[in-house]
């Protein structure tokens, strides 16, 4: 009987894109394989006081082709690495029912919610190396690279991206910053609320 939890270390950077199709073509040239493009519904939960966020933790329900519950937290002893990349310990399980799990989490005190939507195309290149081409409300197109640190640097260079332009923040943090810069109240990140005409991408 396996008594150890399945906890993975996630190292990633996000890169805002001005030409998604060009980056997609380059990923294919580099040997990445696409799993197709899907719509994602993400629900981030916290206590009313925001205790998880304040502690650098994330509790999320996600629905795309599957339903998953994810918990992320900072790794102890990786502060130097975490200053340049986003480094998290990630635990994830597959579920059959998002709303029932949401109810359970509410009963446990995680009643504060924020929603974010996106369209994502997942690319993989061997074990531990992946690229996500995301399209989000207000933020537009973003590439997320997940790999060992030196490989992230190498991939960014091969894709014509500046490593120093990589972002460590999560999407809700980036969305909140954009909203504040535009003088609007941060809230849920949904395509229906995107003020940019044609902001919702094709399915």
């Amino acid at each position: 009987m396996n008594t150890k939890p399945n906890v993975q270390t996630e190292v990633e950077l996000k890169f805002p894109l001005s030409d998604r199709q060009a980056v997609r073509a380059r990923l294919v040239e580099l040997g990445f394989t696409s799993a197709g493009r899907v719509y994602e519904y993400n629900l981030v939960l916290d206590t009313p006081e925001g205790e998880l966020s304040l502690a650098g933790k994330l509790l999320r329900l996600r629905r795309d082709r599957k339903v998953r519950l994810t918990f992320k937290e900072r790794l102890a002893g990786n502060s130097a690495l975490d200053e340049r990349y986003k480094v998290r310990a990630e635990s994830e399980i597959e579920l059959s029912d998002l709303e029932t799990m949401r109810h359970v989490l509410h009963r446990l005190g995680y009643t504060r919610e924020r929603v974010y939507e996106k369209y994502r195309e997942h690319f993989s290149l061997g074990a531990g190396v992946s690229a996500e081409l995301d399209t989000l409300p207000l933020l537009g197109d973003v590439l997320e690279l997940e790999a060992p640190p030196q490989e992230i640097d190498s991939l960014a260079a091969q894709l014509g991206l500046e490593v120093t332009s990589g972002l460590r923040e999560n999407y809700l943090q980036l969305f909140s910053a954009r909203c504040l810069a535009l003088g609007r109240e941060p809230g849920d990140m949904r395509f229906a609320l995107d003020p940019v005409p044609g902001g919702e991408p094709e399915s």
Side-chain angles (χ1 to χ4, degrees), residues 46 51-59 71-74:
D46 207 333
E51 296 171 75
L52 293 180
S53 178
L54 290 171
K57 299 176 181 179
L58 177 109
L59 181 64
F71 176 71
K72 297 186 183 185
E73 61 184 331
R74 292 191 179 101

Side-chain angles (χ1 to χ4, degrees), residues 35-106:
R37 193 169 187 237
V38 298
Y39 164 79
E40 277 187 11
Y41 171 85
N42 297 275
L43 182 66
V44 175
L45 299 104
D46 207 333
T47 65
E49 300 77 21
E51 296 171 75
L52 293 180
S53 178
L54 290 171
K57 299 176 181 179
L58 177 109
L59 181 64
R60 181 188 66 210
L61 282 166
R62 169 175 289 171
R63 181 194 291 124
D64 45 32
R65 292 191 180 103
K66 302 177 180 178
V67 175
R68 283 161 288 179
L69 174 68
T70 305
F71 176 71
K72 297 186 183 185
E73 61 184 331
R74 292 191 179 101
L75 284 174
N78 279 276
S79 57
L81 186 63
D82 198 31
E83 286 178 5
R84 185 174 179 192
Y85 308 92
K86 180 183 174 185
V87 183
R88 296 291 184 269
E90 179 181 83
S91 307
E92 187 169 84
I93 56 172
E94 189 173 329
L95 307 170
S96 61
D97 187 336
L98 183 147
E99 290 301 333
T100 299
M101 189 71 249
R102 180 188 181 200
H103 169 74
V104 171
L105 294 171
H106 277 199

